[in-house]
């Protein structure tokens, strides 16, 4: 069931963190991608906030995937906010 994969990805991310494995940009980006496939803008944004809190670098792929999640979830304002944030953080567009 493809629709529930985002929830499984988030659960796995929590389990990895609980095992004291260091989460990195690639790990978070995979979880953001799972959210994007189902238009889960809120969850994708939460992951970006967690990345910032954990001091994990956000890159072009992470931002672009989150923008796409917001687009698919019809959250255009959030998508634009991410693009502005991306530019102010000097992440390549």
């Amino acid at each position: 069931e493809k629709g529930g994969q985002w929830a499984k990805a988030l659960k796995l991310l929590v389990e990895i963190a609980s095992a004291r494995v260091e989460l990195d940009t690639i790990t978070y980006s995979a979880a953001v991608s799972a959210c994007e496939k189902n238009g889960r803008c809120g969850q994708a944004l939460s992951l970006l906030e967690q990345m910032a809190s954990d001091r994990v670098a956000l890159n072009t792929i992470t931002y672009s995937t989150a923008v796409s999640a917001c687009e698919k979830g019809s959250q255009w304002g959030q998508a634009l906010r991410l693009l502005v944030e991306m530019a102010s953080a000097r992440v390549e567009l």
Side-chain angles (χ1 to χ4, degrees):
E1 132 204 16
K2 196 173 188 179
Q5 296 302 320
W6 68 272
K8 290 178 184 176
L10 294 181
K11 183 179 178 203
L12 181 60
L13 193 68
V14 169
E15 290 173 4
I16 290 170
S18 296
R20 300 194 187 272
V21 174
E22 187 175 330
L23 301 175
D24 61 11
T25 304
I26 295 169
T27 310
Y28 273 110
S29 292
V32 172
S33 179
C35 294
E36 180 267 340
K37 289 179 183 8
N38 291 281
R40 300 291 182 164
C41 179
Q43 285 84 359
L45 294 175
S46 292
L47 287 169
L48 266 57
E49 289 173 10
Q50 188 62 46
M51 288 177 76
S53 175
D54 291 346
R55 294 191 172 131
V56 175
L58 283 81
N59 63 15
T60 304
I61 294 168
T62 309
Y63 271 112
S64 297
T65 305
V67 167
S68 182
C70 292
E71 176 266 326
K72 288 181 179 178
S74 298
Q75 300 293 317
W76 303 107
Q78 293 289 5
L80 289 173
R81 183 186 64 77
L82 286 174
L83 290 172
V84 169
E85 183 180 313
M86 193 174 170
S88 68
R90 298 183 184 211
V91 175
E92 260 186 60
L93 297 174

